[in-house]
Amino acid sequence: QVQLVESGGGLVQPGGSLTLSCAASGSIESIYAMRWYRQAPGKGRELVGAINTRTGSTVYGDSVKGRFAISRANAENTMALQMNSLRPEDTAVYYCNVDGSQTRARYFNEWGQGTQVTVSS
């Protein structure tokens, strides 16, 4: 079983910064990719960004390019999302998503419980 725990959400003023963290634990042999999604009220889930854990390459949604950055601490199976220049439209529940393999090569794809980010003055 693999568990994801997110932290770091909260209320921030427009133009401010916030850092989210996602920690994966359990019987993990390797992680293929780690992703952040978000879902605003009344909208669908949107990919914020992702990191390929083998190559370290990252991709970002158009709405956050240049403002958000994903990093990973490999040894600890953790991922961070640094969010700068936050806007009211960044308000959403942010979800961590991780896929990889467990012991005996079992594939997993797990979601975190979500953390609320509210950007408001």
Side-chain angles (χ1 to χ4, degrees):
Q1 191 74 11
V2 175
Q3 298 85 33
L4 303 183
V5 177
E6 299 149 347
S7 60
L11 173 64
V12 63
Q13 291 188 342
S17 297
L18 206 59
T19 302
L20 306 183
S21 295
C22 172
S25 63
S27 54
I28 297 171
E29 282 201 334
S30 65
I31 291 178
Y32 304 153
M34 304 182 82
R35 309 168 188 89
W36 286 100
Y37 286 84
R38 67 186 183 185
Q39 187 165 18
K43 295 189 177 181
R45 195 165 288 191
E46 170 192 20
L47 177 67
V48 174
I51 183 166
N52 180 309
T53 57
R54 184 176 63 86
T55 65
S57 62
T58 54
V59 294
Y60 297 95
D62 288 342
S63 60
V64 306
K65 280 180 183 176
R67 301 188 297 122
F68 290 11
I70 291 176
S71 60
R72 186 195 172 199
N74 286 353
E76 299 172 351
N77 284 338
T78 60
M79 171 178 63
L81 177 67
Q82 176 66 43
M83 303 184 293
N84 300 319
S85 302
L86 283 161
R87 305 166 180 168
E89 54 264 39
D90 294 318
T91 296
V93 178
Y94 284 70
Y95 296 92
C96 173
N97 170 250
V98 176
D99 73 332
S101 64
Q102 298 178 254
T103 54
R104 289 179 286 182
R106 290 174 298 158
Y107 175 77
F108 73 88
N109 188 318
E110 295 292 339
W111 291 84
Q113 78 283 2
T115 185
Q116 177 70 46
V117 172
T118 302
V119 185
S120 174
S121 55

